[in-house]
Amino acid sequence: MRATQLFKTGDIRTVDVPQPVPGPGEILIKVEAAGICGTDRHLYHGEFPSVPGKTLGHEFSGLVVDSGDSGIAEGTRVTCDPNTWCGTCEQCQRGRVNLCTRNVATGIHRDGGFAEYCAFPASKAVALPDDLDPLQGAFCEPLACTLHGMDMGAARPGERVLVIGGGVIGLMAVQIARLAGAEVMLLTRSASKQALGRETGAHHAADSETGFREVWPQGADLVVECAGVRETIALAPRLARTGGRVVVLGVLPQGAEVSVEPFDLLFREVQMHFSFLNPFTHARAAQMISDGTISVAPLVSRTITLDEAAGAIAAPALPGEVRAIVVPGA
Ligand code: NAP
């Protein structure tokens, strides 16, 4: 079968590999859709720790073709929670499973979804409806991560929520904030993403701090940073109102630093939180996509084949692109 593997920093190729054989506790999934995430590009550039020779792809869904001893009916469409916590380390024992020191992430530490087939832990598969558009299953993982961050931010009805960054994470954060009853603004540079933000629930859109201040001069109750660049991580606390809070979802390369002004954060008592992965949120994400509570169809920018995947990961996202989805069967 074909699979897109990262051999080392800067060397990604779609190659022929043997079809995986599921081990104990695993099922075999015929991958229907796998999203290319910013993290895949970080892995390619060596900005996120990786394991050489693994098939990438951690946002994927597909059909169960070998259910092993799982009891899941063959033919079931499933979404895959890629993070397998150990359950025994100190963090897992404290319920902080996303901080597990022995987490095995499918698509990073073990072969993932940029392939025709993937052997996957049955306990981490969540069933999706038969009639769901297969492309939509690929959005459960990013939604699960966004839900964790938005749980942390705990937007309340009537609050002002600013989302920075109009990618998949930001456009989902906009929708979750709107569902919470907040007044929502999306700050992102491109006009097409601002338009998508308005279409999916933002009351306001801005392209800069100046545009934001024109609408909310006093700042936002909650700022959700979803751009993942130094500039916006430094900007986020400045745009929170006095007594406000910030949740950072964006990932910077390991070792990158950002300057903040502790005096300002202290005197305005701005709370800063950082949200990592998807503890116990994957099933909720699957439910919200299955029942249409979160709209993901507008977030599909293009579909590509497995043979096109390596080039797409090595290159920056296309202008205005939100998500490219790899469809292995295409
Ligand atoms: P993405 O597609 O790269 O979206 C980020 C968006 O931010 C871009 O589309 C860009 O849109 C906007 N942006 C960039 N620079 C900006 C600036 N200076 N001002 C305003 N907007 C700016 O990424 P994504 O997939 O949505 O993910 C967002 C971040 O979350 C990434 O860093 C990703 O690695 C991270 N992430 C974190 C978790 C977690 O568990 N914490 C999980 C998944 C992803 P414009 O061109 O319109 O500005």
Side-chain angles (χ1 to χ4, degrees), residues 38-39 42 145 164-170 187-190 193 226-229 231-232 249-251 275-277 322-323:
T39 304
H42 286 309
C145 292
I164 305 179
V168 162
I169 301 291
L187 192 169
T188 196
R189 297 162 305 176
S190 79
K193 290 178 187 174
C226 307
V229 294
E231 180 191 341
T232 51
L249 278 128
V251 177
S275 169
F276 185 50
L277 301 180
V322 178
R323 202 44 115 229

